[in-house]
Amino acid sequence: CEVALGEFLKEIKKNPSSVKFAEMANILVIHCQAADDLIQLTAMCWMREFIQLAGRVMLPYSSGILTAVLPCLSYDDRKKNIKEVANVCNQSLMKLVIPEDDEMDEAKQSMTLPAEPTLEESLSKPEAASSGESLSELDITALIQPLSFPCSSERIQVTLNLDGIVQVLDCHLHDTSIGMMTRIAVLKWLYHLYIKTPRKMFRHTDSLFPILLRTLSDESDEVILKDLEVLAEIASSPAGQTEGHGPSDVSDVRPGLVELHVPARAGQLSSSGTKGLECSPSTPTMNSYFYKFMINLLKRFSSERKLLETRGAFIIRQLCLLLNAENIFHSMADILLREEDLKFASTMVHTLNTILLTSSELFQLRNQLKDLKTLESRNLFCCLYRSWCHNPVTTVSLCFLTQNYKHAYDLIQKFGDLEVTVDFLTEVDKLVQLIECPIFTYLRLQLLDVKNNPYLIKALYGLLMLLPQSSAFQLLSHRLQCVPNPELMQTTDNTKPSASFKRASASNIDYTELLQHFEKVQNKHLEARHQRAGRAEQLDRRVVL
C-alpha cells in the first residue's frame, strides 16, 4: 500500500495540471489526524505536496488543514518526522494568504469548490479511520462533491474562508492542554491574518479579545511575546478606526464575553478648573481598540495580582517597544486617575514608576520628561503626576526626574501629615537607592551647583530626616556630606541665569493646584485605610464572639 501510494504521488507531481486537488483535500485532512503514525505521516506528506503544487486551491480547506496540522507542532522527538512535515505544511499554507484576500467578496467567487469539513467533522471522522475501517469503507461521496474542474489550478479564483480559520484558532487557544509550540503557531497565524487581512479580521476582534487577554497569563514567555504582538497590532492597525468594526456592529459575538468599554475623552473627564492637563493620548496611529486594551489590561492586573507581580513589568516594557511608550503611560495614568480600588492604584503606579525610571526601553521618554521643554511633555508630566499621587514616594521621584526640586521639597513637607508605615519607609529606602543609580547622575552633579539648586538639597535632607538609622540613611548622609561649601564654589560670572530657573519659569505649570490634588488623593487613601482597618476589627470581633 505504501509503495502504491508513493507511485501515485510521483505521478501527481509529474502532472499537477490534470489533478483534481480539491476533490481529495478532505480525505487528506481526515487521515492527517489518524492515530496510526505511519498513516498520519503519509497523509501529512501528501498534504505538504498538495499545498505546494496546488497553491491557493487549498485555501478553502485551511480550517480543516489547521485542525490537523496545529496539534502536530507540539509533538516530541518520538514523532519528529510528523512534526517537521506539519511545520512545512503550516508555513506553506500561511504564505498563501495575501493582502488581496482582504478585498475579495465571497459573493463574487467565480466557482463553487467542494465544501470543506466542519470542525466537528474533522475531529470525529478520524476516529472512524483509526478504528479499523479502510479507505474504501468510508463514505467518500460524503466528503467530495463531484464537479467539472479546470485543468489548470492557476485559473481558479478562490476565497479565503476566514470565519472557519478564526474558529479553529480560537478553539486551540481555549484548549489549555495544547503544547507551547501549537499556541505560538496559533498566535503567529492571528498576527499574520491581522497584517494581511485586517479589514476582515477586525470583525472577529471582539470575540478574540478576551482569550488574547487571558493568554497573557501563559507560563511561557514566548507565548506572551507573540500574544503581545497580536494585541499591539490590533491596538495600532488603521483598520481598527473603521466605523463598521465597533463592538456594537458585531451581531454574532458569543454570549458571556466581557464587554469592552472605551473611556470618555479626558477633556470631558477633567475638571474645568485644571490647566494644561489634557490626559488622552493623541498619536494618530492608535485606534479605539488601544484604549480598550489599556482598560482591560489594567482590569486583568487588578483581578490577577500574581500576574502583575510576576509579569507586569515584562508585559508593559514589551508593549513600550511594540507601541508608543508615551501613549501607554498617558492612557494608563488617565485610567488610574479614576480607579476606585486605591490600593491597586498605588501598587500599579509604583510598578509604572519603577519601569519609567529603570527600563532602557523608556530612555527617550525619560529625556522628554527631564527637560519639560514642550507643551506635550508638560501635559504628560501633569497627567502622570495626578495619578502618581496615589503613591507619595513615587510622586517625589517623578519630581526628581523632571527637575521640579522645589515642588519635591514642598511634597516632602506634607509627608509629616501622612501615616508613616513600614511600606512607606521601604519605598523611601528604594528611592534613595535609585538616586545612587546612573539614571540620576544629572541630579547628583547638580549638587555641585548649590546656589541654583537649594531646594534639591533641602528635598534630599527631607528624605534623610524621614529615614530611620539604616543603611539607606547612611548612604544618603554620605552623599550629602559631599555637597561642597557654596562659598568655595562661587564663580566670577554671576550674570548668566541658570538653566533650571529658565526651564521652571517657562513651564507654566500650576504647582499649587497639583499640591492640592496630592493632598486630596492622600486623604482618600487615609480614609480607605481606616475603613479597611475598621472592617478588619469588626471581623476580629466576630471571630472572638
Side-chain angles (χ1 to χ4, degrees), residues 187 215-216 220-232 311 314-315 318-319 321-322:
L187 292 167
T215 305
L216 292 175
S220 168
D221 286 350
E222 294 181 55
V223 173
I224 293 176
L225 283 173
K226 279 296 166 189
D227 191 36
L228 288 173
E229 286 183 15
V230 178
L231 287 166
R311 298 288 181 83
F314 171 73
I315 289 172
Q318 293 302 317
L319 284 176
L321 291 174
L322 295 167

Side-chain angles (χ1 to χ4, degrees), residues 438-459:
I439 187 65
F440 280 120
T441 299
Y442 67 92
L443 181 147
R444 298 195 299 274
L445 288 174
Q446 286 174 349
L447 290 173
L448 295 173
D449 190 2
V450 179
K451 181 179 179 181
N452 290 321
N453 295 291
Y455 287 104
L456 170 59
I457 299 173
K458 286 185 176 183

Side-chain angles (χ1 to χ4, degrees), residues 454-465:
Y455 287 104
L456 170 59
I457 299 173
K458 286 185 176 183
L460 294 178
Y461 269 111
L463 291 179
L464 187 68
M465 295 302 107

Side-chain angles (χ1 to χ4, degrees), residues 159 179 186 188 202 205 278 317 327 368 379 385 460 492 533 545:
T159 302
V186 169
K188 284 182 177 179
F202 266 94
T205 297
E278 294 81 1
R317 287 175 60 182
N327 280 356
Q368 182 180 345
N379 284 342
Y385 180 96
L460 294 178
T492 55
L545 291 174

Side-chain angles (χ1 to χ4, degrees), residues 260-365:
L260 305 174
H261 299 284
V262 183
R265 300 294 293 176
Q268 300 168 356
L269 293 166
S270 301
S271 59
S272 57
T274 58
K275 300 178 182 179
L277 298 176
E278 294 81 1
C279 297
S280 288
S282 56
T283 299
T285 55
M286 300 295 109
N287 58 37
S288 61
Y289 283 96
F290 174 81
Y291 300 100
K292 299 174 189 175
F293 180 27
M294 293 297 106
I295 290 173
N296 285 275
L297 179 61
L298 289 175
K299 285 182 179 178
R300 187 104 188 135
F301 285 149
S302 178
S303 60
E304 195 173 340
R305 297 298 173 88
K306 186 178 179 182
L307 176 65
L308 175 60
E309 295 171 5
T310 58
R311 298 288 181 83
F314 171 73
I315 289 172
I316 294 172
R317 287 175 60 182
Q318 293 302 317
L319 284 176
C320 288
L321 291 174
L322 295 167
L323 297 169
N324 183 283
E326 179 182 348
N327 280 356
I328 291 172
F329 273 77
H330 214 154
S331 58
M332 284 192 171
D334 189 42
I335 296 165
L336 288 171
L337 189 59
R338 280 162 284 279
E339 175 61 49
E340 295 179 357
D341 186 345
L342 298 182
K343 190 174 182 180
F344 166 71
S346 178
T347 303
M348 193 67 221
V349 162
H350 176 74
T351 301
L352 290 172
N353 186 68
T354 303
I355 296 169
L356 176 62
L357 293 180
T358 61
S359 299
S360 58
E361 295 86 353
L362 295 172
F363 174 78
Q364 186 176 355
L365 187 59

